Amino acid sequence: MEDATPSLAHLLTRTVDRRSVVAFRREGVALVSHSRADWTAGVATLRDRLADAGLGGGARIALYDDDPYAFSLGLFACWQVGAVAVLPPNVQPGSLERLRESVTVALGSDGAWLPGVPGFALGDEASSDAMSNDFRELDREAAALELFTSGTTGDGKASLKRLRHLDDEVRTLEATFGADLAGARVHATASHQHLYGLLFRVLWPLASLRPFCCDRLLHAEELLPRLVADERSVLASVPAHLVRLVSSTGIAQLSRARCTVFSSGGPLLAETAHAWERASGEAPIEVFGSTETGGVGHRQQRAASGDRVAWTPFAGVELSIDDDASRLRVRSPALSENEDSGFAMGDRARLHADGRFELGGRVDRVVKIGEKRLELAEMESRLRAHPAIESAALTPIEQAGQARIGSVVVPSGLGARMLEAEGRGALGRALVEHLARDFDRVLVPRAWRYVEALPEDEQGKVTASALRALFETGSTATGRPREAAWRTRQTGSGWIELRGRVPEALASLEGHFPGAPIVPGTVQLDWAVELARQLAGYELAPIRVEALKFSASLAPGDECVLRVEQRSSSGATRIRFRLFDPEEPDAREFASGRVVLVAASSLAESDA
């Protein structure tokens, strides 16, 4: 008889039908499944490779892979040899720089994803020689995982988890929600490189024997039919993704689905929750917490209960309110630090007599400008109330040595028409006057950026660093920009993709050509090389260009996507780049080619 107790410590030693499905994916029209036997053999093979390399207790192993199944093999192999898995939130240069000096090796589908660190690939087939029946029970007190906080209000910080923190979270989730999820298959748009996605997309499904989908489907036309096709399903998503899903025309399909939706990463707007409830019959279950605390509480914003819905703490969570700034203080089995005194979150809160709680604004989003205090969330809410604005995010910036506020806004349909008819200056003045009715003039934003979408990370969160990057000029001494106005950035293992628009005032357009300006090919190549440097995380110098093509003219106002993919070998970095029209990615390509680069220090040594 199978042991039904969800436990990460006993997961590899428990008795489970080896034919049962652990994960599944689509390959073309075929549905491919990975069985329990496949999974245990894969873990055993990788465990043996790590052990043979002398990577035992206490080793710190960087782990990054877009595929949650391959990721799970790496994670449990690390734990079987007693190593700590270090999870970067992404493969952007800053994240990689933070890892290089603190890990021994790197695991991932591309064994060279962390330059300068020896790598193991996760894509190898399981060895028939690997013994998948000699696993050890894991130590709940062992250091198991290091993650990084999201960076929504500043730079991300490392947070260490012991196995018991994760094990207790999984047990709590199953005890709270599991009874209603019998037979469910799990889908997710949340990334497993962060705690919420890791728990809901990988660890909880593994421990509860629910198959999880390896495909991360972000678009409604791909995801919704999958949810409808499953007799019973779970979707672990984030507010930004759910907003897009409920606004799609295909949302009506959910009336034929039995799908439980979880959302985390920020409070879900009541109108989004109610729209999902109207479409499917069930409002999403919101989970509130943080990397440091784990899950703190949950709620469902049902239309019948009104907009202000309090949160219910998870079992074992103890809450109190700090006197200063009414901060929520948390003690729980999942807490990864400050366990004796609890952890003071960056959220204001009010406790109800029945133990539930309501959230206020973020404490750490209060800034001081010109000796005056400003709560950024309050001004963002006021901005969103203007009919020309769909969404907005604010960030502190520095101008002429003084602290100021920068505003990033997504115009509504009305706002887009105002921009086209009256220009940025007119819309900016209208927004300044709108805010000046409620805020001191010194607090009103001095710099504005108009974008199609707020810059989101894999979790659908708008990070402080991404907002600040939009105000880094990249300009000439005259203030004219040198690069395209990049609005969004996506990253994966070994690739980066930027999307933006060519500014009318691009510096390189001058004299090229009068009356019909186009972006010079050398400038497009420079953009690709610079993006390659960001992907590598260190200074690179190009030594050879291959198969270079400029197939279509890139002109002011053109929308464009720049994608760079990296391959490294024999001391050199080889990249392939494409610059293309996002509306016609196959039919309209501006530029493409391959560039061979080497570390700038190596080139300097050879020149000497």
Side-chain angles (χ1 to χ4, degrees):
M1 182 176 178
E2 296 181 359
D3 180 3
T5 304
S7 170
L8 300 179
H10 304 101
L11 185 56
L12 282 160
T13 58
R14 67 190 287 194
T15 302
V16 175
D17 183 353
R18 291 173 59 80
R19 298 166 298 177
S20 61
V21 175
V22 168
F24 59 95
R25 68 179 78 237
R26 287 281 181 186
E27 292 185 0
V29 296
L31 181 66
V32 177
S33 297
H34 302 283
S35 69
R36 169 78 178 194
D38 297 332
W39 187 73
T40 55
V43 173
T45 298
L46 189 55
R47 172 206 60 192
D48 293 348
R49 291 173 61 205
L50 295 177
D52 290 344
L55 296 167
R60 290 170 53 82
I61 299 178
L63 174 60
Y64 187 95
D65 200 287
D66 290 332
D67 182 342
Y69 177 75
F71 171 92
S72 71
L73 299 179
L75 183 62
F76 278 84
C78 286
W79 291 348
Q80 277 292 306
V81 298
V84 177
V86 182
L87 274 55
N90 52 56
V91 287
Q92 294 180 13
S95 297
L96 299 186
E97 188 63 34
R98 186 162 44 193
L99 284 184
R100 275 194 198 95
E101 302 302 321
S102 65
V103 297
T104 307
V105 298
L107 284 178
S109 58
D110 176 359
W113 67 267
L114 186 55
V117 175
F120 287 82
L122 289 173
D124 296 344
E125 293 295 325
S127 169
S128 58
D129 297 331
M131 295 296 293
S132 58
N133 60 351
D134 62 346
F135 295 113
R136 66 183 182 87
E137 180 181 319
L138 300 177
D139 179 5
R140 277 174 43 90
E141 292 300 323
L145 196 67
E146 186 173 282
L147 309 103
F148 292 87
T149 57
S150 65
T152 50
T153 59
D155 295 329
K157 296 181 293 185
S159 180
L160 179 68
K161 296 287 182 182
R162 299 191 180 278
L163 185 67
R164 64 178 166 82
H165 297 135
L166 304 170
D167 209 3
D168 289 344
E169 287 245 55
V170 165
R171 291 170 184 263
T172 298
L173 291 173
E174 184 65 18
T176 307
F177 306 115
D180 190 44
L181 302 180
R185 286 152 53 101
V186 179
H187 301 260
T189 68
S191 167
H192 52 270
Q193 296 289 147
H194 303 261
L195 182 60
Y196 165 60
L198 172 66
L199 288 168
F200 279 75
R201 190 182 190 191
V202 177
L203 296 184
W204 184 21
L206 281 172
S208 60
L209 307 184
R210 295 188 185 94
F212 62 86
C213 181
C214 299
D215 306 315
R216 187 166 178 241
L217 307 174
L218 301 180
H219 302 292
E221 59 270 20
E222 297 175 311
L223 176 59
L224 294 176
R226 299 276 192 97
L227 301 180
V228 173
D230 284 345
E231 183 176 334
R232 184 75 177 93
S233 64
V234 168
L235 173 62
S237 192
V238 297
H241 297 161
L242 293 179
V243 167
R244 291 195 285 268
L245 288 173
V246 297
S247 64
S248 72
T249 56
I251 191 66
Q253 300 176 63
L254 284 181
S255 62
R256 306 194 304 274
R258 188 165 175 237
C259 177
T260 297
V261 178
F262 292 94
S263 176
S264 190
L268 193 62
L269 293 176
E271 51 263 38
T272 302
H274 298 166
W276 196 277
E277 183 183 17
R278 288 193 297 272
S280 69
E282 183 180 3
I285 299 171
E286 294 176 71
V287 177
F288 169 68
S290 70
T291 304
E292 299 93 338
T293 62
V296 174
H298 59 93
R299 71 175 183 179
Q300 277 184 290
Q301 296 188 79
R302 298 183 178 91
S305 61
D307 289 350
R308 293 183 64 84
V309 180
W311 300 80
T312 299
F314 283 111
V317 172
E318 299 177 14
L319 303 176
S320 60
I321 302 296
D322 276 2
D323 291 336
D324 61 319
S326 300
R327 291 161 67 106
L328 185 65
R329 182 170 287 276
V330 178
R331 295 183 65 190
S332 83
L335 192 61
S336 58
E337 57 181 307
N338 299 333
E339 297 187 16
D340 293 334
S341 60
F343 181 82
M345 301 187 72
D347 302 87
R348 295 190 184 91
R350 181 171 65 87
L351 298 184
H352 289 201
D354 60 4
R356 296 183 304 155
F357 63 97
E358 287 187 29
L359 293 175
R362 292 281 300 182
V363 175
D364 47 12
R365 296 204 72 210
V366 175
V367 298
K368 184 173 281 190
I369 305 292
E371 301 305 315
K372 297 182 181 293
R373 292 167 60 85
L374 170 66
E375 188 170 293
L376 296 178
E378 183 181 353
M379 184 176 281
E380 287 169 349
S381 176
R382 205 59 203 107
L383 266 176
R384 288 192 293 267
H386 193 284
I389 300 303
E390 180 178 305
S391 60
L394 302 177
T395 183
I397 61 173
E398 185 177 297
Q399 284 188 333
Q402 292 187 309
R404 299 297 186 196
I405 297 297
S407 177
V408 181
V409 298
V410 178
S412 63
L414 172 62
R417 292 190 293 273
M418 288 179 65
L419 281 173
E420 184 174 353
E422 304 174 43
R424 294 167 178 253
L427 179 56
R429 287 190 293 274
L431 296 176
V432 166
E433 292 305 315
H434 171 71
L435 293 177
R437 289 197 289 267
D438 298 287
F439 301 94
D440 192 290
R441 285 274 179 177
V442 73
L443 299 175
V444 173
R446 301 293 184 90
W448 298 81
R449 297 292 184 268
Y450 302 101
V451 298
E452 288 185 354
L454 295 178
E456 299 170 356
D457 65 9
E458 292 177 320
Q459 290 292 87
K461 290 188 176 184
V462 179
T463 65
S465 59
L467 290 175
R468 289 196 302 267
L470 293 174
F471 295 91
E472 294 172 359
T473 60
S475 301
T476 65
T478 61
R480 301 186 68 182
R482 295 185 185 275
E483 291 203 37
W486 306 117
R487 293 186 301 272
T488 62
R489 176 188 184 107
Q490 291 185 304
T491 64
S493 181
W495 61 269
I496 295 184
E497 191 172 276
L498 301 178
R499 177 169 177 169
R501 179 177 178 275
V502 178
E504 283 77 1
L506 189 72
S508 58
L509 295 176
E510 190 170 347
H512 200 274
F513 297 95
I518 60 173
V519 180
T522 54
V523 172
Q524 298 176 48
L525 183 59
D526 285 346
W527 293 351
V529 169
E530 175 55 32
L531 193 56
R533 292 184 180 118
Q534 295 179 33
L535 181 58
Y538 51 89
E539 189 63 26
L540 290 169
I543 59 172
R544 187 167 68 253
V545 179
E546 304 169 340
L548 186 61
K549 294 181 182 178
F550 297 102
S551 306
S553 297
L554 183 62
D558 278 342
E559 292 286 325
C560 58
V561 172
L562 174 60
R563 182 182 176 90
V564 166
E565 300 175 2
Q566 174 182 312
R567 292 291 181 269
S568 300
S569 63
S570 303
T573 295
R574 288 172 167 80
I575 67 156
R576 179 179 183 273
F577 79 91
R578 288 185 68 223
L579 189 63
F580 57 90
D581 185 336
E583 301 300 323
E584 302 177 86
D586 298 320
R588 190 168 183 236
E589 185 177 75
F590 302 114
S592 65
R594 299 188 298 272
V595 184
V596 181
L597 310 101
V598 295
S601 58
S602 300
L603 190 62
E605 290 168 4
S606 65
D607 289 344

